Amino acid sequence: MSLRLSTLPTVALAATLAVGLAPVPAHAEDDQATQVMLLLDVSGSMNESMDGSSTKLEAARKALRAVGESLPEGTQVGLRVYGSEIAESKEVNPAACEDTELVMPMGALQRDRMYAAADSFEAKGETPIAYSLEQTVGDFEENGKKVVVLISDGEENCSPDPCATAEELADAGVDLQFNAIGFGVNNEARSQLTCIAEKGGGAYFDADNTDELVEAIEKLATRALRPFAISGTPVEGTSTAPDAPVVGAGQYTDTMPVGETLHYRIERSVPGSWITATADTVMTPDGIVTQENWSATLSDEQGNECASEVDRSSSSFTSDRVLGVAVRSTDACADGPLFLAIERDQVAGGTDAAKEFEIVIDEEPPITNYDQLPEPATMPSGQDPVEEQGDTEAVTGGTAFSDAGEIGEGSWRDEVTVGETVLYKVPLETGQSLRATVVGPGDGDPPVDGAASLVVRSRTLGVDRAELASTSTVLMRQNSPAELTVKTPEVRVRNRESSGAVASASQAGDYYLAVEVEPGQPDLRGRILPIQVNLAIEGEPAGAPVHAEPESTAEPGIEQPTEDPAPAAEGEPSAPRWVPLALVGGGVLLLGVGTGLGVLIARTRHTRR
C-alpha cells in the first residue's frame, strides 16, 4: 500500500491535518484552538464502486469514523457535505448547485456525534465545490486557525471556478487554509483540486482505494506539526545559585526568558556518580531567520566551574529547530552536590517571549571496569550511503523526544513538512553505531518551482540530546532525489574522555533520527516532502559498563534510585537500567543548510575511574 503525494508543489495536507486535528496542548488558550472543517463530496458519483468491494461513499464513511476514533474528544472539528439533498440535475433544478449542508457544526469532537453525522446523508446530486467552499467561511468560530479539508471524487460541475474561489477567499484575508484529497479522480479533477489547494495555501493528496483513504486521514490526522511536547515535573529555576531548587535524577520543565540565567541544585543519590544535565527545546523562527544560543554550566558548592557547553546547533535557522545543550561532571566535581546554570542568548531574529524547555538530569553510578573498556572512538567522516533494504515500512515521526517513532534496521517512509522537524528513536547498545541515509524528494516529486529552494539538513545528536554532526544540501526543482548520510561514533563508555561531539555518544540508550527542512522563502513553509530513511545499525553489543553498588548517601527528601525501575511508559524514551527516572538522549538526523559539524564549544573532560 502506498500513499501518493501530488507531483505538483503544494503545501502539506499532512501538516494542516496534523495541526488541525492533533489534540491542543493543555496550556493552549481555548480560543486559539485550530478548527478543522471536513468538506465531503457526496454527489451521485460517490455511489460508484471504489475497489470492487465497496462504494466510494462507504469508504468515505469508514474514513470519517477512523478520524473520530483516532482523535481525542474535545478536538475542534466539523463536517459539511455537498450533493446530499437534490437528486435532480442542475438543468432540471438549479438549486442543485447550492446543495450543501452542515451536518456537524464546528465544536468539540464527540465520537457518537461524529459517527451519527457520517451516517446522516446519501449521495445524490451535483458537485458544487465553489459554492460549498464559500459556505465554509461561516462555519468557523472567530478565533483560531481555520482549516478546510476537501475530499472529492470529481471536479466542479456548477460554477464558478472553485480554484478562483479559493484564491479570492485567500486574497480577502479570510484566514482559511484549503486542502484537497482526490478520491479516485481523473487528471482533470486532480488538476482542479490541486489548484484549490495551492491557491488556498494548502495541500493536495491522492487516494485510490478505501484503505488508502483511511490510512491517509488516520496518518495525517495524528502526525507531526504538533507543538513540541514539553514534558516533565515543573520546576522554577532561580536567578542566583544559593536559592536554586533541588533536583535529582529525572525530567523537569521550566520557562526561560531571553538573556537570563536559571540555576538548579543537583543532589547525588550515590557518591562519585556521573551526572549529565541536558536542556532541550524547539525554537520556532519569528520572521525570516532566527539564531539562539543556549549554554549550560556545572559548578561545585564553592562556585568553581567544572564543565561548560554551548549548544552545537546554534546556526541561523528558518525552520522549527530542536536545540539541545548538555554538560557532564568531571574529576573537578566528582563528589557532592552540583549547581546547574542554563542561559539563553538571542543572537538574531526571534522573539522576546519566554520559552518552555526540558531539563533532564541523568545520574550513573561509578563504573568498576572502566580501565578495561575500549578507548574513545573517533568522529566518523565520509560515509557511504545506506542502500534500500527490502520493502519500506511506514512510520510517523514525532515532534519531540517523547513521541519519536521507533525504527530499526531497514527502510522507512514518511512525509516531512517544510519548516518542521520530525524525530525517530533508534536504540543502540555500547559497541554499536547507526548509519542512516535520508532520501529526499525526486523522481517526479519536485518540491518547489523555479528558483525557489529548500535547505535539507542531516544532523545527529548524542545520547545527551546535544548535536554530534551535521550535513546538508540545497534542494531546487529537480528530478534526482536528495541523499544525505550521517553516522554516529561507536557508542563507547570512554567517549566521555573526549570533548564535544564524541562525548555525547558515551551511553547506550535511545538515539534519535530526525529530519528538518528549511524553507528558502517564507511562503514555502508547510509544503510536504515524501522522504525515505535507510538505516543500518553497525557493530555488535560490547563494552558495557559494570556499575558499583554503594550505599545511598542522598539527603532526606531526594528521590532514591530503585533496584528495578518501572518500565518507561509507551511513547517515552527508555531509561538506563541503573537509574529510575534518568532519560537517555540520543542521536538525531536532521535536514537543513550548511555542511559539517555545528559550532563545538567544550571543555576537555577528565575521567573518573
Side-chain angles (χ1 to χ4, degrees):
M1 182 190 308
S2 64
L3 300 178
R4 298 193 320 281
L5 293 169
S6 166
T7 58
L8 297 176
T10 59
V11 181
L13 175 60
T16 55
L17 267 176
V19 172
L21 298 180
V24 178
H27 59 270
E29 297 294 336
D30 291 341
D31 62 0
Q32 296 302 313
T34 300
Q35 306 166 59
V36 173
M37 180 57 63
L38 302 173
L39 178 58
L40 178 63
D41 177 358
V42 292
S43 59
S45 60
M46 289 289 284
N47 290 315
E48 297 173 358
S49 175
M50 182 64 183
D51 51 15
S53 61
S54 62
T55 66
K56 293 179 181 179
L57 179 61
E58 291 169 338
R61 283 182 170 147
K62 182 178 180 181
L64 291 174
R65 284 181 168 270
V67 171
E69 291 169 0
S70 64
L71 300 177
E73 294 198 9
T75 305
Q76 296 295 309
V77 62
L79 176 61
R80 174 178 284 277
V81 299
Y82 57 82
S84 64
E85 295 293 324
I86 301 174
E88 300 165 310
S89 68
K90 60 184 179 182
E91 290 79 15
V92 174
N93 188 349
C97 284
E98 295 182 354
D99 180 6
T100 181
E101 179 185 8
L102 183 63
V103 296
M104 188 176 76
M106 182 66 63
L109 174 64
Q110 300 172 17
R111 291 189 177 91
D112 290 345
R113 180 169 169 256
M114 182 77 165
Y115 304 152
D119 294 334
S120 67
F121 47 80
E122 299 297 330
K124 295 181 179 181
E126 300 284 8
T127 311
I129 298 176
Y131 181 79
S132 300
L133 290 176
E134 292 175 340
Q135 298 310 299
T136 62
V137 175
D139 293 339
F140 293 91
E141 300 295 330
E142 181 178 354
N143 296 317
K145 182 177 177 63
K146 306 172 182 66
V147 176
V148 175
V149 178
L150 166 64
I151 305 169
S152 181
D153 77 330
E155 58 189 307
E156 172 81 55
N157 62 2
C158 292
S159 62
D161 176 12
C163 183
T165 298
E167 184 174 23
E168 290 171 5
L169 291 172
D171 291 344
V174 176
D175 194 26
L176 277 181
Q177 185 181 74
F178 295 116
N179 308 273
I181 299 176
F183 193 23
V185 297
N186 58 29
N187 289 335
E188 290 76 14
R190 181 179 293 109
S191 177
Q192 186 179 82
L193 293 171
T194 299
C195 183
I196 291 171
E198 289 179 336
K199 299 300 184 183
Y204 175 75
F205 196 88
D206 260 324
D208 281 343
N209 56 52
T210 304
D211 289 341
E212 285 188 1
L213 183 63
V214 172
E215 180 184 351
I217 296 183
E218 284 182 330
K219 182 179 178 66
L220 301 179
T222 56
R223 61 157 292 127
L225 273 193
R226 293 164 293 188
F228 185 77
I230 297 292
S231 60
T233 302
V235 65
E236 293 185 9
T238 56
S239 58
T240 60
D243 302 321
V246 176
V247 294
Q251 183 158 316
Y252 306 86
T253 64
D254 202 352
T255 302
M256 173 67 76
V258 174
E260 293 194 19
T261 302
L262 298 180
H263 297 267
Y264 311 86
R265 179 186 174 101
I266 302 172
E267 292 286 355
R268 286 183 162 96
S269 62
V270 283
S273 60
W274 297 85
I275 298 293
T276 301
T278 298
D280 62 74
T281 189
V282 66
M283 296 303 306
T284 299
D286 182 29
I288 304 299
V289 176
T290 294
Q291 182 175 345
E292 292 248 357
N293 289 338
W294 290 58
S295 63
T297 302
L298 282 179
S299 303
D300 61 18
E301 283 190 289
Q302 290 70 44
N304 301 311
E305 181 180 309
C306 55
S308 181
E309 282 279 3
V310 174
D311 75 87
R312 306 175 194 132
S313 56
S314 59
S315 59
S316 299
F317 53 92
T318 59
S319 60
D320 293 354
R321 170 68 57 81
V322 173
L323 304 180
V325 57
V327 283
R328 54 182 51 80
S329 58
T330 65
D331 284 343
C333 49
D335 295 296
L338 298 175
F339 287 88
L340 169 66
I342 300 173
E343 182 178 358
R344 175 189 177 192
D345 179 30
Q346 193 171 88
V347 179
T351 173
D352 292 335
K355 186 65 182 177
E356 193 174 12
F357 69 104
E358 294 175 338
I359 305 167
V360 180
I361 307 299
D362 180 57
E363 182 178 18
E364 180 180 5
I367 299 169
T368 61
N369 64 336
Y370 192 94
D371 291 333
Q372 288 74 51
L373 296 176
E375 296 287 332
T378 58
M379 198 69 199
S381 62
Q383 298 305 317
D384 294 329
V386 181
E387 301 298 329
E388 182 173 320
Q389 304 177 50
D391 295 334
T392 61
E393 296 185 50
V395 64
T396 299
T399 57
F401 297 103
S402 59
D403 66 0
E406 183 169 338
I407 60 176
E409 282 199 305
S411 293
W412 306 83
R413 68 179 186 275
D414 199 359
E415 294 86 38
V416 60
T417 304
V418 176
E420 81 169 347
T421 294
V422 293
L423 297 99
Y424 314 92
K425 63 183 176 182
V426 182
L428 293 180
E429 299 289 342
T430 52
Q432 294 183 321
S433 62
L434 71 83
R435 181 164 55 97
T437 297
V438 174
V439 182
D443 294 336
D445 286 309
V448 292
D449 284 321
S453 64
L454 300 174
V455 183
V456 183
R457 174 174 308 160
S458 173
R459 62 184 181 108
T460 56
L461 275 72
V463 71
D464 54 10
R465 305 182 180 183
E467 184 175 285
L468 283 170
S470 175
T471 186
S472 66
T473 187
V474 177
L475 190 63
M476 309 292 287
R477 186 179 179 93
Q478 61 183 41
N479 289 322
S480 58
E483 191 175 89
L484 295 169
T485 300
V486 172
K487 181 178 180 179
T488 66
E490 182 180 307
V491 178
R492 297 183 184 180
V493 171
R494 292 181 64 177
N495 283 350
R496 65 194 69 194
E497 296 176 25
S498 299
S499 62
V502 174
S504 293
S506 61
Q507 293 176 327
D510 286 337
Y511 283 67
Y512 296 87
L513 187 79
V515 176
E516 177 189 340
V517 180
E518 291 190 339
Q521 291 77 30
D523 60 354
L524 296 180
R525 287 184 68 92
R527 296 175 187 257
I528 194 167
L529 303 179
I531 63 165
Q532 180 171 310
V533 176
N534 301 325
L535 178 69
I537 296 177
E538 301 175 336
E540 295 298 326
V546 176
H547 295 101
E549 298 182 357
E551 294 182 5
S552 172
T553 59
E555 297 178 8
I558 302 301
E559 185 166 356
Q560 303 295 305
T562 57
E563 184 175 347
D564 296 307
E570 184 176 354
E572 292 292 328
S574 62
R577 290 182 293 273
W578 32 261
V579 65
L581 296 178
L583 300 180
V584 178
V588 179
L589 182 71
L590 292 163
L591 295 179
V593 185
T595 59
L597 296 176
V599 178
L600 304 180
I601 302 178
R603 290 178 175 266
T604 301
R605 290 174 172 76
H606 301 288
T607 305
R608 292 193 309 282
R609 268 62 171 180

